[in-house]
Amino acid sequence: MRRFLAPLLAALTLGATAIPAAHAVELDAPYTQAAANVDGAGNLTDGKMIIKTWRVNTGQYCVQVDPLVDIATSLVQVTPGWAGSAASRNAHANCGGGADTIAVWVWNLNSAPADSGFTLAVM
């Protein structure tokens, strides 16, 4: 048994270290089609079925979802890190007009655009 486990553990360790540290962690969200945790700079910290995220301007973000997820017929929910927020699943010009992108706006308590992290769920 030891002869079998040692090579297996070595292979698993090498496989785990081959993943670049810059990639986001795969999010365990079994009841969503896609999900994302995004920081205030627009970086994806972890996600599920998310291609990329980016910050367009102060308080304006874009989330590109995997094409396998039909966001046109899905419910999109955004929860701000500390301020109010809104989401649009339309092909918005801020995000290049792509049908697979979601535009997100975040405001502070004074209703001004604010850079804040948020979570997004596509159900």
Side-chain angles (χ1 to χ4, degrees):
M1 187 69 163
R2 283 185 183 164
R3 290 181 195 166
F4 173 75
L5 284 179
L8 178 63
L9 290 175
L12 289 175
T13 303
L14 287 175
T17 57
I19 298 171
H23 285 179
V25 175
E26 180 70 21
L27 187 63
D28 183 20
Y31 301 107
T32 63
Q33 295 181 67
N37 285 322
V38 180
D39 67 18
N43 300 311
L44 180 66
T45 56
D46 52 356
K48 172 185 174 184
M49 301 294 283
I50 302 295
I51 303 298
K52 67 178 180 176
T53 60
W54 67 98
R55 180 182 168 274
V56 177
N57 206 339
T58 303
Q60 298 177 11
Y61 302 90
C62 297
V63 178
Q64 184 179 10
V65 179
D66 189 293
L68 294 174
V69 178
D70 183 8
I71 59 175
T73 60
S74 302
L75 171 70
V76 177
Q77 178 180 352
V78 176
T79 305
W82 58 268
S85 70
S88 170
R89 66 175 181 223
N90 302 347
H92 197 275
N94 280 359
C95 301
D100 60 345
T101 59
I102 300 169
V104 177
W105 292 268
V106 180
W107 298 277
N108 64 19
L109 298 177
N110 296 323
S111 299
D115 290 335
S116 172
F118 59 90
T119 59
L120 179 138
V122 180
M123 297 175 260

